[in-house]
Amino acid sequence: MRVDGPVVVALDGTPHSALTLRWGVDEAVRRQAPLLLVRAIDDSWQVTAWSWYPIVGGNDLDTEAKEYLADQASLLEEHHPGLRVETRVLHGQVVPCLRELSITAQLLVLGAHARTGRARTGSTGVHVAAHARCPVAVVRSDPDHPAATDAAVVVGVDGSSASLWAANVAAREAWMRGRPLRVVHARPAIPDPFGRGSVPPLETADEDDPTHRAAHTVAERLRTENEGLTVELALVDDDPADALVGLGAGAALLVVGSRGLGSFRGMLLGSVSHAVLREATVPVIVVHDNG
């Protein structure tokens, strides 16, 4: 996990960018890290049924993007004089451009746009989170249910290397914010071999369940390594994605690993982290097993 690179905030100029920028600035200040503001312009050649042609008005888009980023940087330097801010216009497809930046970044921050009904992350956020080389924060908020001042940072663990990295990132985030950390392990239902749906996990005492013992070990390690951090452990029998989204509702932050198939098996699979990204109503950080 890098701690020496910039916090990169990707902006698209929409109204939601203001929330994304505020979140990214707060994160950079907490980490005492430089801030890099970027905006991507896909000026690659486009193909139609008839011919290849370049995007019209590419120079205008570039100028507009530079002016937009310069305005944001100017405001930040006025309100955060100690914060080092740089700007960059990216040319090309958004996902590859951001993936390239993620190699040297310590955090990549994106916005998520709420749709009618449940808040969902667009395809760009999902693809960037899947391919980035650093943790990716997808920022959203529920205006009707803002996080309480004592809201916890929530992280899912499943014994995989990705979830252990996620636990480390979550502990650091909770410590920097002065908030408690809630470690969640969910045992998913077992598919019924007779096709009648699913059945609950086998009932075993917590002390006899190896997955629960492993979760206790993770929580205890985080307490030991992060003096003063309050660590809570939630052991639930539920679909992992539903458990994380439910227990993460109203959280200050939700942290997930990008892959699973660890000793707990079933938690934080690609499908689970994808579901959490799509359904959560709070900011989500996705962590890969490379940190």
Side-chain angles (χ1 to χ4, degrees):
M1 180 173 60
R2 294 185 64 98
V3 295
D4 58 343
V7 171
V8 178
V9 180
L11 304 172
D12 60 8
T14 63
H16 189 82
S17 287
L19 174 63
T20 305
L21 180 58
R22 287 198 302 271
W23 199 95
V25 169
D26 289 344
E27 193 69 19
V29 170
R30 276 191 291 265
R31 294 169 178 244
Q32 299 182 336
L35 183 70
L36 175 60
L37 307 181
V38 302
R39 187 168 179 179
I41 299 175
D42 188 354
D43 51 7
S44 58
W45 287 74
Q46 306 294 305
V47 65
T48 70
W50 304 280
S51 64
W52 290 85
Y53 65 93
I55 291 179
V56 177
N59 291 335
D60 292 340
L61 291 176
D62 182 77
T63 300
E64 178 186 347
K66 288 179 179 177
E67 292 177 349
Y68 168 77
L69 293 176
D71 289 343
Q72 304 306 312
S74 178
L75 290 173
L76 291 179
E77 289 168 354
E78 179 180 344
H79 293 91
H80 300 275
L83 180 63
R84 182 154 58 94
V85 182
E86 297 182 4
T87 64
R88 188 180 306 173
V89 176
L90 309 176
H91 293 270
Q93 296 181 342
V94 176
V95 175
C97 285
L98 294 180
R99 183 187 183 281
E100 184 69 21
L101 282 180
S102 73
I103 295 174
T104 56
Q106 60 174 285
L107 181 69
L108 179 57
V109 182
L110 308 172
H113 303 287
R115 299 177 183 174
T116 302
R118 305 182 74 173
R120 296 178 182 272
T121 300
S123 59
T124 297
V126 171
H127 285 116
V128 171
H131 298 291
R133 300 296 300 275
C134 71
V136 176
V138 179
V139 180
R140 62 160 64 84
S141 67
D142 184 347
D144 297 326
H145 301 88
T149 55
D150 59 347
V153 172
V154 175
V155 61
V157 296
D158 73 340
S160 67
S161 58
S163 78
L164 297 180
W165 276 108
N168 292 336
V169 169
R172 184 186 182 208
E173 292 290 337
W175 185 85
M176 288 191 298
R177 288 169 165 78
R179 294 178 180 269
L181 175 66
R182 175 175 291 181
V183 178
V184 178
H185 168 56
R187 295 188 302 179
I190 303 170
D192 189 332
F194 300 103
R196 296 171 298 187
S198 60
V199 296
L202 296 176
E203 293 293 337
T204 57
D206 285 354
E207 60 271 16
D208 296 328
D209 186 332
T211 67
H212 283 183
R213 288 202 306 270
H216 277 286
T217 299
V218 171
E220 188 57 37
R221 176 181 64 80
L222 294 174
R223 292 189 189 99
T224 302
E225 295 178 354
N226 299 274
E227 185 177 356
L229 178 65
T230 299
V231 180
E232 307 164 356
L233 179 61
L235 304 173
V236 296
D237 292 335
D238 194 3
D239 173 80
D242 289 345
L244 285 173
V245 172
L247 292 173
L253 177 67
L254 181 56
V255 184
V256 295
S258 64
R259 291 290 173 183
L261 293 180
S263 60
F264 299 169
R265 198 171 184 83
M267 184 72 162
L268 301 184
L269 296 173
S271 60
V272 173
S273 56
H274 186 191
V276 169
L277 268 179
R278 288 179 58 84
E279 304 297 339
T281 57
V282 300
V284 177
I285 290 183
V286 179
V287 181
H288 294 261
D289 57 8
N290 58 11

